[in-house]
Amino acid sequence: MAIDPSYPSWARDLHSPPNPKSKSASSLQDPPGFSSSATGKRATLAKQQARKPPTAEETDILKVKKSWEVALAPAKQLPMNAIMMYMSGNSLQIFSIMMVFMLFKNPLQSLLQTNQVFSKYETPRTRSKMWVVKAVYVLMNLVALALGIWKVNGMGLLPTTRSDWLAWETQREPLERTILAF
């Protein structure tokens, strides 16, 4: 397909494929003010100073730090959960019931999966430090469960008064009886 020479050059460029360029960077000229010799020195320095792989001790330190982050994650959720529980109110509505369900479900699941959560951070050298991390993790999840119990008590769902147990109370036998006589 021949392109009319009366077209402007930008229109001819749009209709014709671009010229194939060479793959090597040496065929291209440097932009004004750029020196390729300076970047060549940097590239060779970067190749010479390649990053050495971390030692096993450094890896273990990083694993312990990461496990502490995981252990303290439930503590970071406590303020948010407390505010959400306070804002949802004490009435029995679907929203507050779902919030309380999630407040119990998540810590219970976390408690059951404690060893699985920390298995990727545990090595023979870090095993002695991991029991403290796991204890903090369990403690933070127990605090989250305590928050759920506080909320359920606030909703009036915990049987904490004597009137909640009336079904199991026996009727008192009177010591005396009074009979009215007319």
Side-chain angles (χ1 to χ4, degrees):
M1 171 174 155
I3 297 179
D4 187 14
S6 64
Y7 279 174
S9 64
W10 62 267
R12 279 180 284 178
D13 291 342
L14 284 177
H15 290 292
S16 62
N19 295 332
K21 295 184 178 179
S22 67
K23 302 266 185 202
S24 66
S26 62
S27 65
L28 298 175
Q29 291 182 352
D30 289 336
F34 181 79
S35 172
S36 63
S37 61
T39 59
K41 291 177 185 176
R42 288 183 190 158
T44 57
L45 284 176
K47 288 180 184 177
Q48 290 173 356
Q49 297 175 352
R51 184 175 170 185
K52 61 180 180 176
T55 63
E57 184 178 324
E58 292 172 340
T59 305
D60 288 341
I61 290 171
L62 288 175
K63 285 183 178 183
V64 170
K65 284 182 181 180
K66 182 64 178 170
S67 65
W68 272 108
E69 289 177 18
V70 171
L72 294 176
K76 293 176 182 177
Q77 294 174 0
L78 285 175
M80 178 195 61
N81 284 336
I83 290 170
M84 287 173 49
M85 291 300 114
Y86 175 75
M87 297 301 278
S88 68
N90 288 337
S91 61
L92 289 176
Q93 297 174 358
I94 190 69
F95 179 73
S96 58
I97 291 172
M98 285 175 36
M99 296 293 290
V100 168
F101 172 74
M102 293 303 289
L103 192 59
F104 279 108
K105 180 182 142 296
N106 291 337
L108 285 175
Q109 277 184 336
S110 297
L111 286 172
L112 293 174
Q113 296 174 351
T114 301
N115 286 330
Q116 293 171 353
V117 168
F118 292 104
S119 65
K120 57 185 168 187
Y121 306 117
E122 196 165 347
T123 62
R125 287 183 294 238
T126 61
R127 189 163 288 139
S128 62
K129 298 175 186 176
M130 292 304 284
W131 73 271
V132 177
V133 176
K134 288 180 184 180
V136 169
Y137 182 73
V138 168
L139 180 69
M140 292 302 122
N141 281 304
L142 290 177
V143 171
L145 281 175
L147 181 66
I149 291 172
W150 167 77
K151 178 62 177 177
V152 170
N153 185 38
M155 292 172 78
L157 297 176
L158 284 183
T160 56
T161 61
R162 186 173 177 202
S163 63
D164 294 326
W165 302 96
L166 285 180
W168 292 276
E169 291 277 330
T170 58
Q171 188 174 5
R172 289 189 199 173
E173 290 295 323
L175 298 175
E176 298 177 358
R177 292 189 188 257
T178 305
I179 301 174
L180 294 174
F182 291 98

